[in-house]
Amino acid sequence: FTSNVVTASFPLSVSLPACQTKSVPIATNGQPFPWDRMRLPKTVFPLHYDLTIHPNLTTLDFSGVARIQLDVREDTNTIVLHAKQMQVSNVLLLAPEGVRPLQVLEYPQFHQLALRPDSVLTKGRRYEVHLEFAANLSDSFHGFYKSSYRTKSGEVRVLASTQFEATFARAAFPCFDEPAFKANFTIRIIREPRHISISNMPKLKTVELPGGLLEDHFDTTVKMSTYLLAYIVSDFVSVSRTTQHGVNISIYAVPEKIDQTAYALDAAVKLLDFYDDYFDIPYPLPKQDLAAIPDFQSGAMENWGLTTYRETGLLFDPDKSSASDKLGITKVIAHELAHQWFGNLVTMEWWNDLWLNEGFAKFMEFISLDITYPELHVDDFFLGKCFEAMEVDSLSSSHPVSTHVENPTQIQEMFDDVSYDKGACILNMLRDFLTPEAFEIGIIRYLKRYSYQNTVNSHLWESLTDVSGFQLFCVQKWYSGDELDVRAIMDTWTLQEGFPLVTVEVRGREVRLSQERYLKTDDPSLIEGFLWQIPLTYMTSASSTIHRFLLKTKTDVLYLPEEVDWVKFNVDMSGYYMVHYAGEGWNSIIKVLQHNHTALTSNDRASLIQNVFQLVSVGKVRLDTALELSLYLSKETEIMAVTQGFGELVPLYKLMEKRDMAALENQMKGYIVELFRGLIDRQEWTDSGSVSERVLRSYLLLFGCVRNYPPCVAKATQLFNQWKDSDGTMSLPVDITMAVFVIGARTPEGWDFLFEKYRHSFQMSVKSRLKSAMGVTPLKDKLKWMMEQSLSGEIMKTQDLPDVVVAVSRNPHGYKLAWDFLRANWHTMIKKFDLGSHTISYLVNGVTNQYSTREMLDEVKSFFGSLTEETGSELRCIRQTYETIEDNIRWMDTNLPLLQAWLDKRSQEEA
């Protein structure tokens, strides 16, 4: 899966495995159900599925036949498998002694079917079951679901597509729907002649059926998990090319958007070739299709041989798409193609180790693009992932990277910043620790050793530990004496939640080190009992050499060869930890930043900004120290440090916007504009420069306009009027369009004009920017209307509803509207997007996490506290938002007077 969102839809009254409750599960017909656990028994394994699927795009339902070849591992009188919300009929057992009917029992609470023969199935013998099934196409975004789009002439066309990860294959056909039940699949799809069908494998032939229907026969897949199966019936068209290794790559899209596929085709060819070489394992299928689906909940999905994407994640127009669009699309493709090895070829045993899929795919985006697309400068963006992960990992509601999950909602909740971003950041730290060469050898060994199998955490650590020739080198580089034990180190990062704060105190040549858990809490007992093995790196004012030290204990001491002016730990922030410089430490760093900031890399500067402001939250550093450090930003030009400066300062006034304190809020806004004014003034209103420079330009000009910085507003107003007078035909530089649109959206006429352009545009990236700009308007009736339209899905797609609602909640004129809307439509949204999904978590946190008063905390608790377990009371995101609001309240209580005093003092000095 990619990007910030995901899927699921379940009765939740199953957070306890039934085996812990004393009652026997009862099937729908009133008989006892013969299995009482949510996980399937290991007595029967599927070997091969023969599936025929017949979707009807007029009546919006489907029927099908499954023949599943079974391997009986132990004598048993029951076959338990999954099926969800479908009618199953004509269920037969094909045994060596002939065909017999099977008794069928259903237990919908666990989405299980039990098939009972009249005699025991014998270990070692082969059997086959035959099932017929029928269901409606889902109107959510998972299972086998309906999607639609409007042509330029206004005609609505329907297609059907699949999204099975994590637990939705069972809603499309009866199956053993757990990742360890790998099997081969042979698919046939029945369709009308006006459609085409595609699936994981190439089509072998098409057979004409009576009544004018066609049946497409696909080649048999390799051995794989159910969640990776995919098929689409649509009127898509495609463009194709072959890789250097002979794999056929095709991009599928709706006919009127196929002219936006050239960039994705190039990127997919280049990246599949890269992975083929890097992993030293040939991609095992003859083809890889990438399909742009008009309705899609997450960013993309790695189905083996048929990856699926949001249209914005795949379609690119060289004239209308921005530098950040290009970066985003390339990263998504890199992510899904990395999964063809990490996830598809080698799959986690169970969802508790999802990070083995997602952390790796996220990490490989950066490794692959650094080599194949150096001009994208992906390195400028990696740190942001680690900062995002720390945001959730600094709360006591966080979870270990590898954590126990049982029911479908808990499984869906694993698709979060911890699995993806923390997973990628600890892999990056390990790669730096082992050296890139040793790391690459180890992961290739892991992939080769476990191809077509399932793995747990420790399999990866073993593959990385015995990287023979490099082992001695690594040990010497970090510390001497011990054997290198990758598992012992990495267990401290994957089996406990949170991350360490390392405190550094320099006294002459002596450096005293101590570690504790960084946690935003007022309960000190929650910090106790955590210990990490931390690969520390540091450099000093005396030498730019990177020194290394593995901190395995609570405290330790290092000795420097000479006294120095300053030390910087966690060089380039390649480690997943924060650093506090005790004593005079921060003052010496502030001096360096003010007098010679380029003595430190831009990643080092970004990490110092993040660390110092986060340390204010836990009372380690006074707010004025952090603000004094921020003054150096008036000289900063690099994207990571600039955006991190905004990332720490802007949230301070965002909290104030939701309270009645206009004077201080405006003072704070004025300080930030003043800090970056020089950099904003230097931006040209064109599309020139590197990707990072262009992304930064868009950001700065948008900020200038939103904050009413007069030169920005004047220029954007002039450009908007010219663009509107030309009826939108005038070509605006892409990087400045957001700034221009946002100013235009301030008046009813301007907003209506933007909306008309939105309605008729077929350029995905343009639509996306128009939608964002419309959400920044001060016009409350327009904000409310946008949310309602997105919910109904006619003009604005429901897949975009979460972005619209969160944008409205970030808008000082709209936050109350968004909170009312979330409460009023909660039940509709959890059904549509699924309870445990990242989408719901994004909505909950996005709408509520900038409140900072007891009254609002009570209001938030009163709503979420009124839910039942089925409607979300147990969701982790609700605990996260409670904690975040409590932290905001503490921050405001402690720091508002300090902030006021510091800003007053500063304006006096300026005066």
Side-chain angles (χ1 to χ4, degrees):
F1 250 124
T2 293
S3 114
N4 61 342
V5 218
V6 222
T7 50
S9 130
F10 310 94
L12 258 198
S13 44
V14 291
S15 55
L16 275 181
C19 52
Q20 290 175 14
T21 60
K22 290 291 173 271
S23 60
V24 172
I26 302 298
T28 47
N29 66 355
Q31 293 185 16
F33 190 78
W35 183 249
D36 64 357
R37 285 171 224 185
M38 198 166 274
R39 296 282 297 274
L40 298 179
K42 299 274 195 283
T43 46
V44 178
F45 274 68
L47 294 169
H48 181 265
Y49 293 79
D50 249 312
L51 287 176
T52 304
I53 313 275
H54 180 193
N56 185 324
L57 298 191
T58 309
T59 55
L60 302 180
D61 51 20
F62 65 93
S63 58
V65 180
R67 278 180 55 167
I68 312 172
Q69 214 179 72
L70 302 174
D71 172 20
V72 177
R73 306 252 174 119
E74 289 168 38
D75 288 4
T76 181
N77 59 1
T78 311
I79 301 163
V80 183
L81 73 170
H82 290 110
K84 181 182 168 195
Q85 290 168 356
M86 58 172 63
Q87 296 84 46
V88 174
S89 59
N90 202 10
V91 182
L92 305 170
L93 178 73
L94 287 65
E97 51 275 8
V99 178
R100 311 209 293 278
L102 286 162
Q103 185 201 4
V104 181
L105 295 169
E106 290 183 61
Y107 189 57
Q109 204 179 356
F110 287 2
H111 315 146
Q112 286 172 358
L113 296 179
L115 314 181
R116 313 206 68 172
D118 47 21
S119 61
V120 169
L121 303 179
T122 314
K123 176 181 173 173
R125 295 182 70 180
R126 294 290 171 90
Y127 298 86
E128 214 170 273
V129 290
H130 168 282
L131 310 97
E132 293 175 18
F133 54 92
N136 292 324
L137 286 171
S138 168
D139 58 3
S140 66
F141 298 94
H142 38 259
F144 193 18
Y145 71 93
K146 177 197 102 146
S147 171
S148 64
Y149 70 95
R150 214 177 270 275
T151 64
K152 283 183 177 161
S153 63
E155 178 198 352
V156 173
R157 294 195 182 166
V158 175
L159 59 130
S161 184
T162 58
Q163 168 63 50
F164 291 163
E165 189 175 33
T167 55
F168 298 106
R170 63 190 69 172
F173 61 97
C175 58
F176 295 79
D177 198 14
E178 293 180 9
F181 289 100
K182 289 191 171 186
N184 305 90
F185 296 82
T186 307
I187 306 284
R188 296 176 185 191
I189 305 237
I190 298 172
R191 61 176 172 87
E192 297 175 63
R194 67 193 172 115
H195 293 131
I196 62 157
S197 74
I198 49 177
S199 182
N200 305 74
M201 296 298 286
K203 187 170 76 173
L204 296 177
K205 62 176 181 180
T206 300
V207 178
E208 289 192 28
L209 301 180
L213 292 172
L214 301 175
E215 183 177 71
D216 292 333
H217 293 224
F218 295 91
D219 207 347
T220 302
T221 69
V222 294
K223 191 176 166 193
M224 64 185 217
S225 304
T226 46
Y227 77 86
L228 293 168
L229 199 65
Y231 35 88
I232 301 170
V233 177
S234 68
D235 65 342
F236 288 174
V237 293
S238 65
V239 294
S240 304
R241 258 186 44 210
T242 305
T243 68
Q244 288 174 0
H245 294 82
V247 180
N248 187 47
I249 307 255
S250 304
I251 314 282
Y252 284 84
V254 305
E256 287 169 325
K257 293 177 186 171
I258 198 68
D259 58 346
Q260 298 174 56
T261 55
Y263 181 75
L265 185 58
D266 280 348
V269 168
K270 204 168 177 178
L271 285 159
L272 201 72
D273 273 333
F274 167 80
Y275 287 133
D276 227 308
D277 295 333
Y278 183 88
F279 294 135
D280 193 34
I281 300 172
Y283 173 74
L285 310 185
K287 63 96 175 170
Q288 168 69 242
D289 298 334
L290 297 82
I293 314 293
D295 299 281
F296 202 83
Q297 183 169 338
S298 67
M301 177 63 210
E302 69 266 21
N303 317 299
W304 213 344
L306 172 52
T307 51
T308 47
Y309 302 78
R310 263 192 186 217
E311 290 185 322
T312 46
L314 202 61
L315 304 179
F316 182 85
D317 179 331
D319 300 324
K320 301 272 173 67
S321 298
S322 68
S324 59
D325 294 326
K326 179 180 272 192
L327 183 67
I329 289 168
T330 323
K331 277 170 65 178
V332 171
I333 295 171
H335 183 103
E336 303 316 326
L337 296 185
H339 270 311
Q340 308 301 300
W341 286 263
F342 272 102
N344 301 11
L345 183 65
V346 179
T347 313
M348 74 265 138
E349 174 79 23
W350 179 244
W351 301 104
N352 61 315
D353 279 329
L354 174 70
W355 84 278
L356 288 172
N357 280 17
E358 296 302 351
F360 251 109
K362 175 61 67 183
F363 175 66
M364 288 309 300
E365 291 174 27
F366 292 89
I367 297 293
S368 62
L369 297 188
D370 197 33
I371 296 167
T372 51
Y373 284 90
E375 69 277 13
L376 291 179
H377 295 292
V378 282
D379 268 6
D380 287 349
F381 304 92
F382 185 72
L383 267 200
K385 296 286 121 193
C386 306
F387 296 148
E388 281 169 34
M390 286 176 161
E391 194 74 14
V392 293
D393 212 14
S394 62
L395 303 172
S396 60
S397 53
S398 187
H399 63 90
V401 167
S402 181
T403 197
H404 173 80
V405 287
E406 185 87 8
N407 69 47
T409 299
Q410 293 165 344
I411 292 168
Q412 287 306 130
E413 285 191 298
M414 286 299 283
F415 291 81
D416 68 356
D417 287 348
V418 173
S419 295
Y420 285 68
D421 297 344
K422 180 177 180 175
C425 294
I426 63 176
L427 286 169
N428 185 55
M429 173 169 71
L430 181 59
R431 178 173 182 257
D432 182 61
F433 175 73
L434 292 175
T435 73
E437 300 78 9
F439 183 82
E440 188 179 342
I441 291 168
I443 61 173
I444 291 169
R445 170 186 289 142
Y446 166 79
L447 289 170
K448 287 183 172 172
R449 190 181 284 174
Y450 297 106
S451 290
Y452 303 104
Q453 297 175 58
N454 295 79
T455 57
V456 296
N457 254 342
S458 54
H459 292 137
L460 177 62
W461 309 144
E462 285 154 20
S463 299
L464 285 162
T465 295
D466 40 320
V467 181
S468 49
F470 284 97
Q471 186 164 344
L472 196 63
F473 170 64
C474 298
V475 175
Q476 288 167 341
K477 195 177 73 163
W478 288 89
Y479 60 98
S480 53
D482 294 352
E483 273 295 286
L484 176 67
D485 186 347
V486 174
R487 181 176 180 173
I489 296 169
M490 295 309 291
D491 278 355
T492 69
W493 297 94
T494 56
L495 303 182
Q496 59 184 355
E497 71 270 26
F499 58 89
L501 166 62
V502 175
T503 297
V504 173
E505 189 167 5
V506 181
R507 298 188 179 179
R509 284 181 46 221
E510 188 180 83
V511 182
R512 297 188 178 187
L513 304 167
S514 64
Q515 60 160 299
E516 64 189 280
R517 181 177 176 192
Y518 175 92
L519 190 65
K520 291 178 175 169
T521 178
D522 45 12
D523 179 356
S525 69
L526 294 172
I527 296 173
E528 288 160 19
F530 287 85
L531 187 69
W532 284 266
Q533 294 199 20
I534 311 173
L536 295 180
T537 53
Y538 63 97
M539 55 183 279
T540 71
S541 55
S543 115
S544 57
T545 309
I546 299 178
H547 303 277
R548 298 170 184 273
F549 178 74
L550 188 70
L551 179 64
K552 299 166 80 169
T553 48
K554 186 105 179 95
T555 59
D556 211 331
V557 180
L558 284 174
Y559 293 93
L560 301 172
E562 57 194 304
E563 291 199 16
V564 295
D565 296 332
W566 53 265
V567 292
K568 164 70 173 73
F569 272 74
N570 202 358
V571 178
D572 278 339
M573 198 159 163
S574 56
Y576 185 70
Y577 59 93
M578 282 186 199
V579 184
H580 171 43
Y581 299 92
E584 283 301 299
W586 279 110
N587 291 336
S588 59
I589 279 167
I590 290 170
K591 276 197 194 102
V592 187
L593 289 173
Q594 283 174 349
H595 298 115
N596 181 24
H597 68 283
T598 52
L600 295 161
T601 65
S602 62
N603 272 3
D604 274 331
R605 303 195 298 269
S607 74
L608 288 166
I609 295 162
Q610 190 255 5
N611 286 190
V612 79
F613 276 94
Q614 294 305 313
L615 289 167
V616 173
S617 294
V618 292
K620 294 278 184 188
V621 170
R622 275 177 60 94
L623 177 62
D624 8 9
T625 307
L627 291 166
E628 289 296 326
L629 184 141
S630 75
L631 288 168
Y632 105 88
L633 284 164
S634 62
K635 300 195 284 266
E636 185 56 84
T637 57
E638 297 288 333
I639 186 164
M640 195 65 240
V642 170
T643 50
Q644 200 52 38
F646 278 108
E648 299 298 342
L649 294 165
V650 168
L652 306 190
Y653 75 67
K654 294 306 288 181
L655 294 180
M656 298 175 207
E657 283 181 342
K658 294 183 170 58
R659 293 171 59 151
D660 186 19
M661 43 175 60
L664 182 57
E665 177 194 319
N666 289 326
Q667 240 180 313
M668 185 66 202
K669 289 173 176 173
Y671 169 64
I672 303 173
V673 172
E674 188 53 41
L675 198 56
F676 293 106
R677 192 180 71 182
L679 194 57
I680 295 172
D681 289 343
R682 290 202 296 280
Q683 301 304 310
E684 295 172 3
W685 291 63
T686 64
D687 283 339
S688 59
S690 70
V691 169
S692 294
E693 286 164 346
R694 292 183 57 186
V695 172
L696 185 58
R697 171 187 300 126
S698 301
Y699 189 99
L700 289 165
L701 296 179
L702 174 61
F703 176 80
C705 285
V706 170
R707 287 281 58 80
N708 295 315
Y709 178 51
C712 277
V713 175
K715 180 81 174 166
T717 306
Q718 176 202 349
L719 286 168
F720 182 77
N721 291 334
Q722 290 172 348
W723 180 71
K724 186 167 174 279
D725 293 344
S726 77
D727 195 28
T729 57
M730 174 183 137
S731 172
L732 286 169
V734 180
D735 296 344
I736 66 162
T737 48
M738 267 305 286
V740 173
F741 292 167
V742 157
I743 292 299
R746 289 182 172 181
T747 66
E749 314 78 60
W751 196 95
D752 290 343
F753 183 75
L754 290 168
F755 177 68
E756 271 315 296
K757 292 295 158 222
Y758 172 86
R759 267 185 86 155
H760 296 111
S761 173
F762 273 70
Q763 252 66 41
M764 296 320 297
S765 41
V766 176
K767 272 185 104 78
S768 174
R769 283 196 294 278
L770 287 163
K771 183 193 72 195
S772 300
M774 293 186 314
V776 185
T777 183
L779 308 166
K780 288 186 178 177
D781 56 324
K782 303 290 192 192
L783 295 173
K784 204 166 170 209
W785 188 82
M786 268 179 90
M787 292 192 290
E788 286 158 2
Q789 284 304 319
S790 303
L791 185 65
S792 83
E794 288 296 304
I795 308 171
M796 302 183 91
K797 286 215 165 264
T798 307
Q799 64 174 15
D800 297 328
L801 176 68
D803 286 333
V804 170
V805 175
V806 171
V808 172
S809 79
R810 294 287 187 242
N811 183 328
H813 303 276
Y815 65 91
K816 286 197 174 75
L817 301 173
W819 173 228
D820 291 344
F821 183 88
L822 180 78
R823 288 183 289 182
N825 298 288
W826 176 257
H827 297 283
T828 311
M829 293 196 292
I830 59 173
K831 211 149 127 190
K832 186 79 179 174
F833 295 114
D834 205 79
L835 202 50
S837 69
H838 193 286
T839 310
I840 293 298
S841 153
Y842 171 67
L843 275 164
V844 168
N845 281 299
V847 169
T848 60
N849 71 9
Q850 289 181 346
Y851 290 124
S852 62
T853 61
R854 285 271 156 228
E855 297 73 42
M856 272 318 296
L857 179 60
D858 292 344
E859 197 172 295
V860 169
K861 282 188 163 175
S862 142
F863 172 69
F864 290 123
S866 70
L867 301 175
T868 62
E869 198 175 345
E870 285 80 5
T871 58
S873 65
E874 298 300 304
L875 291 177
R876 182 184 288 119
C877 59
I878 293 173
R879 299 202 303 277
Q880 284 171 336
T881 204
Y882 290 170
E883 278 192 72
T884 305
I885 298 171
E886 302 242 12
D887 179 53
N888 293 342
I889 293 170
R890 275 198 303 276
W891 197 99
M892 296 294 257
D893 289 349
T894 309
N895 293 304
L896 277 182
L898 291 166
L899 180 61
Q900 182 73 66
W902 190 86
L903 290 170
D904 287 347
K905 177 171 140 261
R906 181 151 167 77
S907 47
Q908 283 162 11
E909 284 167 6
E910 301 231 307

